[in-house]
Amino acid sequence: MATILADSAPNLDVPVPCSVSLDDVLMDAPSRAVEDHTTETAGEIKTEESQLDMFRSKAPSSPASGLWTTRRDGEVKLRLEQHGIGSEKPKTVHELFQESLRKYGDYFALASKKGDTWVKQTYKQYYEECRKAAKSFIKLGLERFHGVGILGFNSSEWFIADIGAILAGGFAVGIYTTNSPEACQYVAENCGANILVVENDKQLQKILEVQHKLPLLKAIIQYNEELKEKRPNLYTWSEFMGLGSDVPDSQLDKIIDSQKPNQCCTLIYTSGTTGQPKGVMLSHDNITWTALSAGHYVQLTEATEQQELVISYLPLSHIAAQMIDIWLPILFGAQVFFAQPDALKGSLIDTLREVRPTAFMGVPRVWEKIEERMKSVGTKFSALRRKVAAWAKDVGLQTNLKRMNGSSELPINFRIAKQLVYKKVRKGLGLDRCTKCYTGAAPITKETLEYFLSLDIPVYELYGMSESCGPHTISLPDSFRISSCGKEITGCQTMIYKPDSDGNGEICFAGRHIFMGYLNMEDKTREAIDEEGWLHSGDLGKHDKHGFLYITGRIKELIITAGGENIPPVPIEDAVKEAVPIISNAMLVGDKAKFLSMLLTLKCNVDGETGEPEDDLTPEAIAYCLKLGSKATKVSDIVGGKDKAVYAAIQKGIALVNEKATSNAQKIQKWVLLEKDFSIAGGQLGPTMKLKRPVVTKMYKDQIDQFYADVDNTSRNPLSK
């Protein structure tokens, strides 16, 4: 393991992992998102009615239905404002790329690792490849407003297929690599896919299994690996790229010229945790304007000044990765480096060290895995080294918390710790020139945020949805709060709908980043966009007095007890995970019941190939057990034998959480440790690592029923059984 100097004393180290194992992370990440509230003045948040009045004054006078459509060839009325960034001239994806070419044509755009060498393409080459792909799509019969599904890991071919599909007049449609054949069929059928682009034989086999059910499918292209067998209408990437050589530029240009900013060009499919996936229709203006506003908000620099460097590894089937990896880089001329396909199994840290990005986005599980690994390595060092590391982290946390609250003072001990510790930590992680570290897509614990803050690595939260083209609020270096997802990006508005006495209500969005509608789903679209044009997120949240937004739960996740109390489960679950570090996942239950109970899982290793949780505890979990006096090294050691030390520690942690409960109804009365952790492979977690509560509830019905089998039983502590 690499080590870093931790103080003026020689050979005192703070651990940094050489190979962070991220094998159980398969993400898909949205976002949490940042400038001064356009709907606030002097730190005051406008009321619901005044916000509605403000939006009415800016919205077109035409019927609200003009703001959305569910037709594949539909057009919407753009939400233009009279002044500021919201009044910027709408443009298409092609117009955006053309403008970038004029500024960054000779700058490197894409970098792919071939062996030990980075093979790079300039923006001029990138654009020409996209045109070639567009011509080949036309040759293969891609129809206007029909899909090109892309199924595979991030690569230059993925980007080129995506943009090529748009230039050719079709829809770019990312498909989750974890999808079953049936799920792939649903997306392909729903978007009217004429062409599917797959990474390798594994993904190809999924499509071949359902190909006979896809009458609109005209061709399949495989961009990695050699074809194992030749089939009609199945092409290698090189074959595909040559197909359109006889398609005249004029034919492609005619299609490009016919495109409008208010037409759909991309479909993002929701993960379908509570039903069939919905096709989120994003217009050219959604993409080009959101990139403009968000990029300026986080102060990205243009390549002509200083080129930004980013690593592409998050699943591109999600809008967060597309915005960060494709659209923002084109607008600002950034250079994108593609991670290895096994990035989430351990190689990401090597790519980070090699590329040394200037901006980096990780879903919570990425940051958590890095934290876990660093803590695990730290347990192997001497008491003196650990003491010095603890000193440095305490100084870092206290100083950064004061900076967060407006202090500009940098005490001498912080400056010493920075030179001796923090800089080396950043270098060891490959983040030494990264000024923008972000997290989003799912809740992140306060503990993890404070851990990185203690090492002088602020991780800023973003918040948004596929339906908001990615970001809506973003935290900034000079404007952030722990556990807040920041303030709106410029030109966007937030309304807290029907707030309760504590200010909690449904978070609603307005702005040019709001999607066009769900493809072929009018009822769902009407549910999402109200008559005033506000997008209802389904998330619960509130503002503090400074205008920072805090997410407090999901409306559909609310637990309503038998006594009628509405309880958001996430804050309670997060509190338990923070109080008991060995807990991996926690799920609160008790809807319509007389009291709350909780399902718990333990932190364990994950099979790098299958993504299945293993029986072996993580090194951090084992170290935690040792502190308790337990010799457990496996989940089965604890659950099977009801390890008294661990069970007592869990009960103690839950008791501490209960002490802080705002009412008796919010206290956890019973809990159970499950034999296996939740996972994507097991079906309990979605692609963004979000908990699929209905699935878990059905899967563990017997355990949940047992909680309430005898409500008169006063013994609610599992240790007493």
Side-chain angles (χ1 to χ4, degrees):
M1 290 293 167
T3 57
I4 55 176
L5 193 60
D7 197 2
S8 54
N11 301 319
L12 299 178
D13 305 303
V14 173
V16 175
C18 278
S19 179
V20 177
S21 175
L22 303 176
D23 45 12
D24 62 340
V25 189
L26 182 52
M27 14 181 179
D28 198 288
S31 320
R32 285 185 170 195
V34 154
E35 188 200 332
D36 285 16
H37 251 39
T38 54
T39 60
E40 58 181 275
T41 57
E44 295 181 350
I45 307 301
K46 289 189 179 288
T47 65
E48 175 187 336
E49 277 305 311
S50 64
Q51 286 181 320
L52 281 171
D53 290 339
M54 176 199 67
F55 185 76
R56 289 189 191 105
S57 68
K58 294 179 180 179
S61 58
S62 56
S65 61
L67 295 174
W68 59 262
T69 182
T70 60
R71 291 169 52 94
R72 63 178 60 248
D73 60 349
E75 299 177 9
V76 294
K77 296 186 178 180
L78 299 180
R79 300 165 182 248
L80 293 170
E81 297 190 7
Q82 295 180 352
H83 307 286
I85 200 165
S87 65
E88 287 285 330
K89 180 183 176 183
K91 63 186 68 169
T92 64
V93 163
H94 184 259
E95 288 170 334
L96 172 70
F97 213 148
Q98 285 278 291
E99 289 179 10
S100 296
L101 270 182
R102 289 192 285 271
K103 291 188 282 187
Y104 321 122
D106 293 325
Y107 285 84
F108 285 124
L110 308 178
S112 306
K113 195 75 174 287
K114 308 296 182 185
D116 295 327
T117 305
W118 286 102
V119 178
K120 299 186 177 185
Q121 292 173 291
T122 65
Y123 271 92
K124 284 181 181 176
Q125 293 169 328
Y126 182 13
Y127 174 72
E128 287 305 318
E129 290 291 286
C130 291
R131 284 187 65 94
K132 282 183 184 178
K135 289 182 180 182
S136 293
F137 284 139
I138 293 170
K139 184 75 172 182
L140 287 172
L142 175 61
E143 299 173 59
R144 194 81 163 89
F145 303 115
H146 280 258
V148 172
I150 313 172
L151 180 61
F153 186 72
N154 310 25
S155 66
S156 58
E157 292 90 348
W158 210 111
F159 282 30
I160 291 163
D162 185 277
I163 298 174
I166 294 172
L167 299 187
F171 294 149
V173 185
I175 302 176
Y176 294 115
T177 56
T178 53
N179 271 9
S180 66
E182 293 73 24
C184 292
Q185 175 197 335
Y186 174 83
V187 172
E189 193 172 23
N190 188 259
C191 72
N194 292 149
I195 299 158
L196 291 174
V197 180
V198 300
E199 177 185 4
N200 51 30
D201 187 69
K202 177 182 177 181
Q203 302 297 349
L204 173 63
Q205 293 306 316
K206 294 180 184 178
I207 304 305
L208 294 180
E209 188 174 323
V210 297
Q211 184 178 9
H212 64 286
K213 299 178 182 179
L214 298 171
L216 298 180
L217 185 60
K218 301 178 180 181
I220 305 171
I221 301 147
Q222 184 174 313
Y223 66 81
N224 201 358
E225 298 181 356
E226 294 293 324
L227 295 179
K228 292 191 176 180
E229 60 176 315
K230 288 295 294 180
R231 286 173 170 265
N233 303 315
L234 172 61
Y235 304 90
T236 64
W237 183 258
S238 59
E239 289 171 343
F240 161 69
M241 290 295 280
L243 287 175
S245 58
D246 60 348
V247 174
D249 284 328
S250 59
Q251 185 178 348
L252 173 58
D253 289 335
K254 186 176 181 180
I255 295 172
I256 291 173
D257 292 342
S258 73
Q259 295 171 17
K260 301 177 184 178
N262 65 343
Q263 293 175 329
C264 182
C265 67
T266 292
L267 292 173
I268 302 293
Y269 278 85
T270 62
S271 56
T273 55
T274 57
Q276 287 286 21
K278 300 185 288 287
V280 176
M281 300 170 65
L282 297 179
S283 70
H284 290 264
D285 185 66
N286 284 151
I287 287 170
T288 58
W289 183 85
T290 304
L292 176 70
S293 182
H296 283 298
Y297 193 71
V298 301
Q299 300 178 349
L300 291 178
T301 58
E302 294 193 3
T304 50
E305 181 182 343
Q306 183 177 347
Q307 192 174 37
E308 300 276 5
L309 308 176
V310 299
I311 296 173
S312 178
Y313 75 101
L314 292 172
L316 289 164
S317 45
H318 201 284
I319 187 57
Q322 289 187 26
M323 186 56 63
I324 293 167
D325 297 358
I326 301 178
W327 307 117
L328 282 167
I330 289 176
L331 180 61
F332 290 88
Q335 187 173 175
V336 181
F337 292 78
F338 293 102
Q340 297 302 302
D342 62 350
L344 303 178
K345 298 175 183 177
S347 70
L348 177 59
I349 194 72
D350 299 320
T351 306
L352 278 167
R353 286 175 172 153
E354 191 170 357
V355 173
R356 299 167 59 218
T358 60
F360 178 71
M361 168 75 179
V363 295
R365 197 62 183 134
V366 168
W367 294 110
E368 289 165 5
K369 291 300 289 185
I370 295 174
E371 176 192 8
E372 290 169 9
R373 184 60 177 168
M374 292 177 72
K375 285 182 175 179
S376 173
V377 174
T379 62
K380 300 173 184 176
F381 288 102
S382 68
L384 181 59
R385 289 178 177 179
R386 292 198 299 271
K387 186 175 182 180
V388 172
W391 164 80
K393 289 194 289 184
D394 182 62
V395 169
L397 180 59
Q398 297 308 316
T399 302
N400 277 301
L401 287 176
K402 290 177 181 177
R403 290 168 72 179
M404 180 184 77
N405 290 311
S407 172
S408 59
E409 181 185 359
L410 292 180
I412 185 66
N413 56 357
F414 177 83
R415 284 178 278 176
I416 292 172
K418 185 171 184 176
Q419 292 298 321
L420 297 176
V421 180
Y422 312 142
K423 282 188 175 181
K424 294 181 174 65
V425 170
R426 279 182 172 270
K427 186 175 182 180
L429 292 174
L431 298 174
D432 52 309
R433 57 185 180 189
C434 188
T435 58
K436 307 168 191 71
C437 293
Y438 295 109
T439 184
I444 189 169
T445 65
K446 180 181 178 183
E447 178 189 31
T448 296
L449 292 173
E450 289 185 344
Y451 177 79
F452 284 101
L453 200 60
S454 75
L455 294 171
D456 198 32
I457 304 175
V459 178
Y460 304 113
E461 287 199 72
L462 304 94
Y463 165 70
M465 308 167 65
S466 299
E467 291 86 343
S468 67
C469 204
H472 179 69
T473 67
I474 309 177
S475 296
L476 294 176
D478 60 353
S479 180
F480 76 101
R481 295 289 187 273
I482 291 287
S483 300
S484 166
C485 47
K487 301 179 182 181
E488 301 92 345
I489 60 176
T490 316
C492 301
Q493 298 89 41
T494 302
M495 174 180 68
I496 304 300
Y497 183 64
K498 294 185 177 178
D500 62 17
S501 57
D502 295 323
N504 279 296
E506 184 179 14
I507 302 167
C508 299
F509 306 168
R512 279 172 65 176
H513 60 331
I514 303 305
F515 78 132
M516 298 176 67
Y518 297 118
L519 181 64
N520 302 326
M521 291 185 176
E522 184 170 328
D523 289 347
K524 295 293 185 182
T525 303
R526 287 185 183 275
E527 288 176 18
I529 301 177
D530 68 21
E531 292 182 358
E532 302 292 341
W534 288 92
L535 169 64
H536 287 248
S537 69
D539 291 320
L540 292 170
K542 64 181 180 180
H543 286 111
D544 67 12
K545 63 181 181 180
H546 301 293
F548 288 97
L549 182 66
Y550 294 79
I551 310 301
T552 56
R554 288 280 298 168
I555 290 176
K556 291 180 180 178
E557 291 176 352
L558 276 179
I559 293 173
I560 303 176
T561 65
E565 184 159 351
N566 289 5
I567 300 173
V570 174
I572 298 174
E573 292 161 352
D574 286 346
V576 169
K577 288 189 284 186
E578 185 174 346
V580 191
I582 198 173
I583 297 300
S584 176
N585 281 288
M587 190 179 112
L588 198 67
V589 298
D591 197 50
K592 300 180 179 66
K594 292 185 177 180
F595 57 85
L596 299 180
S597 302
M598 185 170 275
L599 303 174
L600 301 170
T601 68
L602 298 171
K603 290 180 177 177
C604 62
N605 294 328
V606 174
D607 186 291
E609 295 301 320
T610 65
E612 286 280 354
E614 296 178 337
D615 192 31
D616 293 328
L617 294 170
T618 63
E620 181 194 6
I622 293 173
Y624 179 80
C625 289
L626 286 173
K627 285 183 181 179
L628 298 175
S630 168
K631 296 181 181 179
T633 61
K634 298 179 182 295
V635 173
S636 56
D637 293 341
I638 296 173
V639 179
K642 290 218 167 140
D643 187 294
K644 289 186 177 180
V646 176
Y647 271 64
I650 294 173
Q651 183 58 40
K652 182 179 178 182
I654 287 178
L656 290 172
V657 172
N658 285 342
E659 285 178 10
K660 299 176 182 177
T662 56
S663 69
N664 284 331
Q666 297 201 23
K667 292 182 179 180
I668 305 158
Q669 303 294 351
K670 292 186 179 184
W671 53 271
V672 66
L673 269 183
L674 302 178
E675 296 177 351
K676 199 171 187 179
D677 195 9
F678 300 156
S679 65
I680 295 174
Q684 303 95 342
L685 302 178
T688 60
M689 306 300 289
K690 287 181 180 177
L691 196 56
K692 292 186 174 182
R693 294 177 189 272
V695 173
V696 175
T697 300
K698 184 176 180 180
M699 192 175 291
Y700 294 98
K701 183 179 182 298
D702 290 345
Q703 288 89 334
I704 294 172
D705 287 347
Q706 188 60 40
F707 288 142
Y708 306 102
D710 182 6
V711 294
D712 294 325
N713 185 353
T714 57
S715 177
R716 293 176 178 173
N717 179 352
L719 285 173
S720 64
K721 292 181 180 179

